[in-house]
Amino acid sequence: MKATDFEELFDNGESVIPYVDLSNASRPNKLKRVNIDFPSWMVEEIDSEAKRIGITRQSLIKVWISNCIKEKTA
């Protein structure tokens, strides 16, 4: 199948799965769940900032931690 035909199927909302070899597929950056306990005042501050910028608490924490890691490795 030509790439243009594949793209057309995808763009039209049709399934492209029959044309894909999933035998070696993997998920990059596999997620690992962690639990962290915060004092309630921290959660309130995190929630306030998350609401201010329009994202979830979890997203904000991920952004902050990512920024800290990037600064440390820079």
Side-chain angles (χ1 to χ4, degrees), residues 36-65:
I36 303 173
D37 295 324
F38 293 109
S40 60
W41 67 267
M42 274 190 185
V43 174
E44 291 166 8
E45 291 293 322
I46 292 167
D47 287 346
S48 176
E49 180 64 8
K51 183 177 180 182
R52 184 183 75 77
I53 61 177
I55 62 174
T56 65
R57 175 192 301 158
Q58 181 175 348
S59 295
L60 179 62
I61 293 169
K62 286 180 183 180
V63 167
W64 282 351
I65 292 173

Side-chain angles (χ1 to χ4, degrees), residues 1-32:
M1 170 179 280
K2 293 181 181 178
T4 54
D5 295 335
F6 186 88
E7 290 172 357
E8 186 176 342
L9 282 174
F10 181 83
D11 291 342
N12 291 335
E14 298 178 45
S15 177
V16 294
I17 296 299
Y19 307 102
V20 179
D21 177 11
L22 298 175
S23 63
N24 292 319
S26 65
R27 170 172 250 159
N29 298 321
K30 184 178 177 184
L31 298 178
K32 183 159 186 159

